[in-house]
Amino acid sequence: MNQSAHSIPDDILDQACHWSVVLGDSRVSEDDQRNFARWLESNPLHQTAWQRLQMVEQELVPARPLARQGSDILQGLAKSRRQRKTVFASALSVLLLLGIAQLLFPYWQADYVTGKGELQQISLDSGAIIYLDSGVALDVESAGDKTIVQLHRGRILVDSSAASPAQKPQVITDHARFTPIGTRFVITKRGDLSELIVTQGQVQVDADGNSRVANAGDSLQIANKTIAPLINNGLAPDAWVDGVIEANNARLGDLLDALAQHRRGWLRYDAKVAELRVNGIFYLNDTDKALTSLSNTLPITVETHAGWWTNVKPK
């Protein structure tokens, strides 16, 4: 039976907040991870409290450092048992206490939002199709024949091959406007930059007075009002649309970062394994199998605690 936040004892809420701070610290030890796993498995209410806290923290990914500081602030502010329960029960209260509710407001109000591990597809009246990766928030606005896609965060693939030239959707991020001349391209908005990878056709990029046309095969990064080449990381830019990650001499660190976007809990790796090279196809709907395959072919060890915390380190 599902538990409401109000039915979870105060001491368990305290413990969940404590573990959020501990596990979010870059100095977290293996003993901490084992102790967390034992805590999580010892009581079903622990898992319920942890899941609810994770739902809040997923909204805080763009401001993770503030979220970690905010966890300490929350524990200091919520001194009474009643305050702790109220703070935990209301995600909005958490966000307000962190001072970033305004930052996250567009995400809550977006027309389309995908959760962790979720893929989605939008078919526009023009015939164009927009594919949403995990962790996307965007708005779609129609103005006559024009369709404007405001990408707030995450990665999308736009296939405008079936749309007429006048009806091909434009994509806008905080950093640039992307106008398709051709057919198929990928745009990622994260943090203080946007990325464009053109797989077919051409895309015009306009960024604060700077403008250029990107051709098929081009990869660009737009940040600080500049447009620069983006280095190929060895991961097929559009394979995720088919539910896979396709690696061609990719860094293990980049592959693990991609898997983490589709895996619940935390996936971390030792810097010593990040530069290992990987080839293969890995399915997003079975990240456990992907990690097992990697551990069988590379000199790494994968440790998972309670299904929430995964560590990848050298053998």
Side-chain angles (χ1 to χ4, degrees):
M1 185 174 85
N2 292 333
Q3 297 282 339
S4 71
H6 294 287
S7 67
I8 301 174
D10 293 333
D11 60 332
I12 291 180
L13 302 184
D14 287 343
Q15 293 165 24
C17 288
H18 163 75
W19 281 117
S20 178
V21 174
V22 171
L23 298 180
D25 194 319
S26 60
R27 298 163 295 181
V28 62
S29 68
E30 293 187 7
D31 284 342
D32 289 331
Q33 296 168 30
R34 285 191 287 267
N35 290 335
F36 165 71
R38 284 194 288 268
W39 173 82
L40 195 64
E41 294 173 337
S42 65
N43 187 334
L45 282 178
H46 292 176
Q47 298 182 25
T48 301
W50 186 250
Q51 289 169 0
R52 291 186 179 277
L53 186 58
Q54 293 309 290
M55 289 174 63
V56 174
E57 288 208 344
Q58 277 304 305
E59 294 302 317
L60 303 179
V61 169
R64 181 69 69 183
L66 283 176
R68 294 305 174 203
Q69 295 173 22
S71 297
D72 292 324
I73 295 171
L74 285 179
Q75 294 189 73
L77 290 175
K79 293 182 182 298
S80 72
R81 293 167 63 84
R82 181 179 181 85
Q83 284 176 313
R84 283 192 291 266
K85 179 175 288 188
T86 301
V87 168
F88 190 90
S90 173
L92 181 58
S93 295
V94 174
L95 298 173
L96 289 173
L97 286 169
L98 292 174
I100 56 174
Q102 188 173 13
L103 171 66
L104 294 177
F105 183 78
Y107 303 158
W108 302 335
Q109 300 297 317
D111 294 336
Y112 298 92
V113 178
T114 54
K116 195 167 191 178
E118 179 186 4
L119 301 177
Q120 191 174 345
Q121 177 179 323
I122 305 171
S123 296
L124 302 180
D125 292 340
S126 64
I129 301 175
I130 303 173
Y131 299 88
L132 284 64
D133 196 2
S134 171
V136 166
L138 62 78
D139 291 315
V140 178
E141 178 182 346
S142 295
D145 289 339
K146 285 288 185 183
T147 299
I148 306 296
V149 177
Q150 180 76 51
L151 179 60
H152 299 296
R153 69 174 182 188
R155 176 171 61 174
I156 62 173
L157 183 147
V158 178
D159 186 341
S160 63
S161 57
S164 68
Q167 292 182 310
K168 293 184 184 297
Q170 291 185 341
V171 180
I172 299 175
T173 70
D174 293 340
H175 313 104
R177 178 185 295 267
F178 304 88
T179 304
I181 302 171
T183 53
R184 189 177 171 101
F185 56 98
V186 176
I187 294 177
T188 304
K189 162 66 170 61
R190 52 193 175 98
D192 58 357
L193 60 84
S194 296
E195 297 173 351
L196 167 70
I197 301 176
V198 183
T199 59
Q200 295 178 21
Q202 295 178 314
V203 175
Q204 180 172 323
V205 184
D206 295 290
D208 291 313
N210 296 320
S211 180
R212 65 170 291 180
V213 173
N215 299 305
D218 286 347
S219 300
L220 301 175
Q221 176 177 289
I222 300 93
N224 298 322
K225 301 181 181 181
T226 61
I227 303 173
L230 176 67
I231 298 175
N232 184 354
N233 64 4
L235 301 178
D238 54 357
W240 56 270
V241 171
D242 298 317
V244 300
I245 298 174
E246 184 178 335
N248 181 15
N249 195 36
R251 292 175 65 255
L252 177 60
D254 289 333
L255 174 59
L256 293 176
D257 288 340
L259 287 174
Q261 295 299 313
H262 294 265
R263 182 179 177 84
R264 72 172 186 171
W266 280 284
L267 172 58
R268 291 190 172 181
Y269 53 88
D270 192 300
K272 295 177 181 177
V273 306
E275 297 302 325
L276 293 174
R277 293 292 162 172
V278 184
N279 293 284
I281 295 177
F282 306 89
Y283 289 88
L284 296 174
N285 63 358
D286 195 345
T287 57
D288 284 334
K289 184 176 181 179
L291 291 171
T292 298
S293 174
L294 290 168
S295 66
N296 288 337
T297 56
L298 295 173
I300 61 174
T301 298
V302 178
E303 296 178 346
T304 300
H305 302 286
W308 284 96
W309 182 274
T310 302
N311 253 353
V312 181
K313 59 184 184 181
K315 280 187 178 177

